[in-house]
Amino acid sequence: MHSQNVLKKAKKLLNSRKFSEVIMLLQGCESDYSYSVDYYYLFGTACMYLGDIGGASKKFNEARKISVIDTRVLLAQAVIFLRRGDVPRAIEYYLDILDKDPLNKTAIEAMEFIKTQGTPDVISQWVSSGKIKKFYPALGINPVIPRTIFGITAFLAISITGLCFWIQYQKTKPLPRGDLTPYVLTVDERNNALQQDMSGSLYRYILTPRQITESYDYLLKCVTEYRDNAALVEINRLNNSNASALIKQNASMLMDKLSEPTFDTIKDNYSYEKVAEDPYLYINCWVSWTGRIANVSETDTTYSCDLLVGYENQKRVEGIVPLHFQSAMNIDPAYPIRVLGKLGVSEGRLCMYGKSVYQPLDGSSL
């Protein structure tokens, strides 16, 4: 049977709740689908609904090797950890999902359950009663539903489509950052933009009063326009300069209005070449860089390596940046990656604190 037809049939059987037939169909086909997330996801989901949690876990782990950002797989792995009573690990996965998809209904409901009822006894009761399936991978609409309710289904589909458009709009619509009027400099504050007593002080940037006020005004403009990286550059410039204490205080307070980006929302994505000119100016900025990894060091809860920036095509290394994750990661050094992370300086050297990784293992581009 053609490969696509196999997966389409497996999905249809899964929707029909024919889990055993899904497994029978997909068994023995693994060599044909070594790079297919859908194959392992469908296989693992069927195993899960049949109660073979160990088998499901193995399949989802294989899917994770192919893609570390597939929300479907993360949801499945999260509920397996929850079933086992490993609540901290489940929370870690649900938070990762909400970071990628803040309106994910299953993740939101699971986190609310953990917060209000997530004791070992209650979790055990939910597993025994089957209520835990509430957080299982969604199966979709069963095609055996009587035709008499098709009209209602169509109406709901239209409503849900409209809701999805509204949700998507809300997700892309910037959240209000409040009134920035209190941060606007007065005439007196502009006239006293310099640090009054500079004796014994060392500054990375020596600025004129005009340069300070221009930098500060540009900072406010960037915050208003949701250009958080550009705002952070000005905050770093001012806080490491001879600007007045009030201007530095205001700049630091404006950091609270900034937010973490995703791969899709990052703005002012500075290049390695630009950052390397003056790393201290880009501390706390978020970047999305591509490359390959080397010199991996990992524990059960951390992952560190060197990111060979720009080496995804194995032609030229733009630079080598230490990359650290505060969680266990599954990254294949044989394939290129795209990393979203926050920049820092450690022992005088530029480094990155990773948040998300995208690594396609099917040959597709980054």
Side-chain angles (χ1 to χ4, degrees):
M1 186 180 292
H2 190 272
S3 59
Q4 278 301 110
N5 290 339
V6 170
L7 294 182
K8 286 181 179 178
K9 184 174 181 180
K11 186 174 181 181
K12 187 176 294 185
L13 290 170
L14 195 65
N15 288 346
S16 301
R17 281 60 172 171
K18 297 178 181 179
F19 308 119
S20 297
E21 293 185 33
V22 173
I23 293 174
M24 290 176 62
L25 177 65
L26 297 180
Q27 273 180 337
C29 298
E30 189 162 357
S31 60
D32 298 327
Y33 297 94
S34 55
Y35 296 116
S36 173
V37 174
D38 286 343
Y39 170 79
Y40 290 110
Y41 174 75
L42 293 170
F43 206 150
T45 301
C47 289
M48 177 176 282
Y49 276 96
L50 283 178
D52 181 8
I53 304 303
S57 182
K58 290 179 181 178
K59 298 304 177 185
F60 293 134
N61 285 339
E62 291 299 319
R64 189 80 186 278
K65 291 178 183 178
I66 300 171
S67 174
V68 297
I69 61 172
D70 193 300
T71 303
R72 301 173 304 165
V73 177
L74 291 174
L75 281 169
Q77 291 182 306
V79 74
I80 288 177
F81 288 124
L82 187 59
R83 279 182 57 99
R84 293 172 177 169
D86 190 349
V87 176
R89 197 75 183 276
I91 291 174
E92 177 187 334
Y93 274 59
Y94 284 126
L95 289 177
D96 192 12
I97 293 163
L98 290 172
D99 184 57
K100 297 176 175 63
D101 181 7
L103 295 175
N104 188 283
K105 182 180 178 181
T106 303
I108 292 172
E109 291 180 352
M111 288 293 288
E112 181 64 21
F113 166 72
I114 292 172
K115 179 181 178 182
T116 58
Q117 305 179 63
T119 63
D121 288 343
V122 173
I123 292 174
S124 179
Q125 291 172 9
W126 275 51
V127 172
S128 299
S129 66
K131 291 176 67 177
I132 197 72
K133 291 181 180 179
K134 176 180 181 180
F135 306 127
Y136 276 19
L139 297 176
I141 299 174
N142 192 331
V144 301
I145 293 176
R147 293 180 178 273
T148 52
I149 65 169
F150 277 8
I152 298 175
T153 302
F155 172 77
L156 290 176
I158 295 172
S159 300
I160 291 172
T161 301
L163 178 61
C164 288
F165 278 114
W166 182 83
I167 290 174
Q168 187 61 36
Y169 170 74
Q170 293 299 320
K171 286 170 65 177
T172 57
K173 178 183 177 182
L175 296 175
R177 284 184 164 170
D179 183 13
L180 296 184
T181 303
Y183 296 94
V184 176
L185 297 178
T186 65
V187 174
D188 183 59
E189 289 165 351
R190 290 178 178 276
N191 292 335
N192 293 278
L194 287 176
Q195 182 74 37
Q196 295 301 311
D197 183 8
M198 294 190 293
S199 60
S201 299
L202 294 176
Y203 303 106
R204 185 168 293 277
Y205 311 106
I206 301 297
L207 307 176
T208 65
R210 180 175 178 178
Q211 288 174 324
I212 292 172
T213 55
E214 286 180 349
S215 174
Y216 186 83
D217 291 342
Y218 185 60
L219 164 59
L220 288 179
K221 184 175 185 291
C222 290
V223 173
T224 302
E225 296 175 352
Y226 295 86
R227 295 181 55 201
D228 291 359
N229 266 348
L232 283 165
V233 169
E234 300 309 317
I235 291 172
N236 289 330
R237 191 192 316 277
L238 291 168
N239 282 342
N240 289 282
S241 75
N242 54 329
S244 69
L246 182 140
I247 288 178
K248 290 182 179 180
Q249 180 182 8
N250 281 1
S252 296
M253 291 173 65
L254 285 166
M255 284 188 67
D256 293 335
K257 295 186 175 294
L258 309 183
S259 57
E260 294 185 2
T262 65
F263 281 117
D264 296 329
T265 62
I266 187 170
K267 295 182 180 179
D268 298 293
N269 184 31
Y270 300 112
S271 67
Y272 172 82
E273 182 181 12
K274 183 73 172 177
V275 173
E277 294 174 358
D278 188 356
Y280 289 90
L281 200 58
Y282 299 91
I283 291 176
N284 292 323
C285 286
W286 292 88
V287 293
S288 173
W289 286 347
T290 57
R292 292 175 182 260
I293 64 169
N295 304 321
V296 175
S297 174
E298 57 185 321
T299 68
D300 291 339
T301 57
T302 62
Y303 186 99
S304 298
C305 62
D306 286 334
L307 176 63
L308 311 182
V309 183
Y311 195 55
E312 60 271 14
N313 296 323
Q314 297 181 300
K315 293 182 179 180
R316 184 175 72 90
V317 178
E318 296 177 20
I320 301 176
V321 179
L323 173 61
H324 310 286
F325 290 91
Q326 291 302 312
S327 61
M329 301 295 294
N330 187 5
I331 306 175
D332 191 339
Y335 293 90
I337 64 172
R338 178 178 292 277
V339 182
L340 177 67
K342 180 187 291 188
L343 297 178
V345 174
S346 177
E347 298 180 353
R349 184 182 179 189
L350 175 68
C351 63
M352 182 190 291
Y353 301 96
K355 174 187 176 184
S356 302
V357 173
Y358 172 60
Q359 183 177 48
L361 302 185
D362 58 358
S364 59
S365 63
L366 292 168

